[in-house]
Amino acid sequence: MLATIEEAINITDRINQDKKKAEYYLLNYEKEYLLYKDKKQEYLTYKEEVDENVGGGKTNITSNPTERVVMKSIEFEGSYEPYKWLKAVEIVQRSLGERKNIFIKVRREADKVAHIGKGRKGWIVFAQRRYAEEMERRFIQPEVFMSERTLKTWWQDIINQTMVVVNQI
């Protein structure tokens, strides 16, 4: 046998954790993106205290301010773990068609509505109604109905795409 049971269990656990993270970042993209921008701005504007009495040159500090900002930005993005998840969500959303992007928007709304709760039925019923409303408003197609199975399949496909993309970044 090439893999032990323990290795298989660990891999399965990591996959399940990635699914939860993908779902979290898909649902909370706007909030996490704002947090990312704030933390990045804070990181870029932070200035370390420099001891002016130290002799010698500043060989490790880039003299060009633009280069310095770019280098600090790259350094921040490499160390800020949510960055790759936010980037993966953006890539997935750009690769999807308008109908699935409408679905993601509606799914996020369903997650934010307090009275729905976290149960599987709650978001589905809300998403079915809101998706039909959005489709009618955008495409003038009355009576657009998405089955529960289709909604669940779309959601799982989007989560899986996000996981694949994040592992390619």
Side-chain angles (χ1 to χ4, degrees):
M1 213 185 299
L2 296 176
T4 65
I5 293 174
E6 188 175 308
E7 287 175 321
I9 290 171
N10 287 337
I11 290 170
T12 304
D13 287 343
R14 283 189 303 218
I15 289 171
N16 288 334
Q17 289 171 356
D18 281 353
K19 280 185 180 183
K20 287 178 183 176
K21 279 186 181 180
E23 184 171 27
Y24 173 80
Y25 284 102
L26 281 162
L27 292 173
N28 298 291
Y29 175 80
E30 290 89 3
K31 179 181 84 171
E32 287 294 327
Y33 182 71
L34 290 174
L35 183 64
Y36 158 76
K37 282 178 36 178
D38 288 346
K39 287 188 181 261
K40 184 176 180 180
Q41 186 62 32
E42 183 180 307
Y43 185 83
L44 293 177
T45 56
Y46 175 75
K47 295 190 192 254
E48 294 181 26
E49 289 187 29
V50 178
D51 186 2
E52 297 295 332
N53 294 326
V54 176
K58 299 177 184 177
T59 58
N60 63 344
I61 299 174
T62 307
S63 61
N64 185 330
T66 305
E67 286 179 14
R68 196 173 324 128
V69 169
V70 169
M71 294 302 289
K72 282 186 88 171
S73 181
I74 291 170
E75 184 180 305
F76 174 77
E77 290 166 356
S79 65
Y80 189 67
E81 202 260 339
Y83 171 75
K84 69 179 185 174
W85 286 99
L86 294 170
K87 189 173 181 178
V89 169
E90 281 187 8
I91 291 169
V92 168
Q93 282 187 261
R94 288 183 181 157
S95 71
L96 298 174
E98 187 174 2
R99 293 173 192 269
K100 284 195 178 176
N101 275 307
I102 291 170
F103 168 69
I104 291 174
K105 176 185 167 217
V106 166
R107 178 65 180 93
R108 286 176 180 156
E109 286 176 24
D111 192 60
K112 289 179 183 152
V113 176
H115 69 275
I116 287 180
K118 298 290 181 193
R120 68 175 183 85
K121 293 281 186 190
W123 75 263
I124 291 172
V125 173
F126 182 88
Q128 284 173 323
R129 182 182 56 80
R130 283 290 296 127
Y131 184 79
E133 290 171 0
E134 286 294 317
M135 292 302 288
E136 186 175 340
R137 188 175 66 79
R138 290 203 186 165
F139 296 110
I140 312 170
Q141 292 179 339
E143 299 181 27
V144 173
F145 178 77
M146 294 284 287
S147 71
E148 181 176 337
R149 179 177 287 176
T150 301
L151 288 176
K152 286 180 178 179
T153 302
W154 276 18
W155 187 238
Q156 287 307 312
D157 287 347
I158 292 168
I159 288 172
N160 291 337
Q161 285 178 353
T162 305
M163 287 174 46
V164 168
V165 170
V166 85
N167 287 320
Q168 296 299 315
I169 295 175

